[in-house]
Amino acid sequence: MSWLKLNRWEVLGLLCGIFAVYSPVIRFEFLNWDDTWYIINNELIQSWSFEGLYGIATEPVARNFAPLTIFTFLIEHTLWGMWSGGYHLTNLALHAINAILAYALLRRLTGSSLLAWTVSLIFALHPVQVETVAWVSSRKSLLSATFMLASFICWLRPDRTSRDEGFGTLWLILGLLSKASAVVVPPIVIAYDVLIARRSFAESFAKQVVPMFFSVLLILVTMSAQTTIVGGVRGHIGASKLWILAIDATILWRYVGMSLYPTNLCVLYDPATTGIAHWIALSVIGWVGVGVWTFRTRHSNPVPLFCFVTWLFLLFPVLNLFPITTLMNDRYLYLPLIPFFVGVFNVAGVCWMKIRSTESSSLARRIPTPAIAVTLGVMLCGLYTLRTLDYLNVWANPVTLWNHARQITPTLPVVQIQWAITLESEGRRDLAIQTLQRAMEQNPDSGDAERIQSKIDLWTETSQVTPES
């Protein structure tokens, strides 16, 4: 409470910005993209019976073991049934909490309230966050981020106590029960200890034995839940790890571009995976250069290397080294935006100070560094807010979502399938069948082809049934 009182204006500014931009989500509908599994047809959240509670604690849902996330849906189903606005309101509240936690963490790590608040506001209002905030099924990302940030607040401090470590481990466990991506907390803590707090690797590793035990345990449970591979984009499933790493090198640069200048955002992407040898080579060279530069400057300025390593760790669970059905998504950047922009502002500040120190920069010396930081922060926040406001309504309902997706990635069979499902639910069955027939002409893989044909057969047969029969 004392911290909130001391930082009340910064917190109030974050809350006002978030609710002003994202408040329309309360009117948004459920989507026919995982919401059906997590909410609409999920029997586990429909009662407080012993069988239901046991199922929440032990059963994976939609191939994910996230019992704490499912438990929040049980609470909400009890409160407002199938009113989608209540679920969206919870997502919005969690996003606001995460922005405040990010500010609290960065305020202590950087020692600058201006930098901490600017990065937290960018994190809150950036358009790539729309998917996570406006999609009910991204609750697991929001909830796990809450506990991960709380764990970081406890762990990432040079003078932490055993009490901090105990609470840090507790928050990590809750994060793991919300989403498996929280497994990256221990390696990030080790990176902080070694690079920032200047502890020895052995000392830091010893402190992370218990957190890593719970992380490995959760990984094993989650991997056992991945028994089927359906939906999404599956062309990369079964590929060699070397090939996956090569594609990841190009996708990571796309994430850099999306973070700095987000455009053509979409629910699904279709990144090129063939005929891009030159892009792979350039990407690898670029990342080697970034790694070498940040490593060489680690003694004089360890922040860029720590931000780079943290960014990579936060993205590691979604780099398809453990196969998932999409190569890239907006929601994968939810927490990585924080270290990314801390690093960007740190490098920009260092460059500006070097410019001011040169003899020919008399004009630059008259412009204070905070003025440059404020100007850059205002410009970025304004740009991202406008883009978020423009993109937000895409996620209002299935029609707007998949109509937008088929304009951005029209060649993806799964996009055409979801668009057809949306049309059929709107009573436009003939058009839905035509959409699937066109999708079949795009040579989908065997899984999509079987799914498309089964729906064509079902809808055609249903259309032929007369009321008398």
Side-chain angles (χ1 to χ4, degrees), residues 166-282:
F167 274 104
T169 303
L170 173 61
W171 299 134
L172 169 62
I173 293 172
L174 294 177
L176 291 169
L177 295 176
S178 302
K179 188 180 181 182
S181 58
V183 297
V184 300
V185 169
I188 290 175
V189 173
I190 293 175
Y192 170 84
D193 284 349
V194 173
L195 296 173
I196 306 299
R198 305 297 186 183
R199 293 186 176 93
S200 68
F201 176 83
E203 177 189 359
S204 179
F205 184 86
K207 294 287 187 180
Q208 295 304 309
V209 169
V210 173
M212 284 190 291
F213 168 78
F214 288 110
S215 298
V216 171
L217 185 63
L218 197 281
I219 289 175
L220 294 176
V221 173
T222 299
M223 289 178 65
S224 67
Q226 300 290 327
T227 56
T228 58
I229 299 176
V230 296
V233 183
R234 302 188 307 277
H236 57 284
I237 301 296
S240 69
K241 298 299 185 243
L242 183 61
W243 183 86
I244 290 293
L245 285 172
I247 300 302
D248 284 340
T250 65
I251 290 176
L252 288 174
W253 280 114
R254 289 191 62 174
Y255 282 150
V256 171
M258 291 167 60
S259 299
L260 291 174
Y261 187 71
T263 184
N264 291 328
L265 301 180
C266 190
V267 59
L268 285 171
Y269 296 95
D270 190 17
T273 57
T274 58
I276 57 171
H278 60 296
W279 290 118
I280 291 175
L282 290 174

Side-chain angles (χ1 to χ4, degrees), residues 2-12 103 107 113:
S2 60
W3 182 90
L4 286 174
K5 184 177 180 180
L6 183 64
N7 296 272
R8 58 185 178 277
W9 296 115
E10 292 88 344
V11 171
L12 183 61
Y103 171 73
R107 177 70 178 83
S113 59

Side-chain angles (χ1 to χ4, degrees), residues 158-171:
D159 56 346
R160 64 174 180 254
T161 64
S162 57
R163 182 176 183 272
D164 294 325
E165 294 174 355
F167 274 104
T169 303
L170 173 61
W171 299 134

Side-chain angles (χ1 to χ4, degrees), residues 287-298:
W287 287 123
V288 169
V290 172
V292 170
W293 178 79
T294 55
F295 184 78
R296 291 183 62 181
T297 60
R298 70 190 186 282

Side-chain angles (χ1 to χ4, degrees), residues 313-375:
F313 274 136
L314 289 171
L315 285 169
F316 179 79
V318 295
L319 292 182
N320 268 280
L321 298 177
F322 304 97
I324 51 180
T325 55
T326 49
L327 280 170
M328 60 181 294
N329 282 114
D330 294 353
R331 63 184 180 274
Y332 297 163
L333 290 174
Y334 185 72
L335 280 183
L337 278 185
I338 298 174
F340 178 84
F341 277 103
V342 171
V344 166
F345 278 101
N346 177 271
V347 172
V350 170
C351 292
W352 180 250
M353 292 302 294
K354 288 185 176 181
I355 293 174
R356 293 190 67 190
S357 65
T358 61
E359 294 182 0
S360 59
S361 60
S362 58
L363 177 61
R365 283 196 294 268
R366 291 197 295 267
I367 303 176
T369 301
I372 296 296
V374 169
T375 301

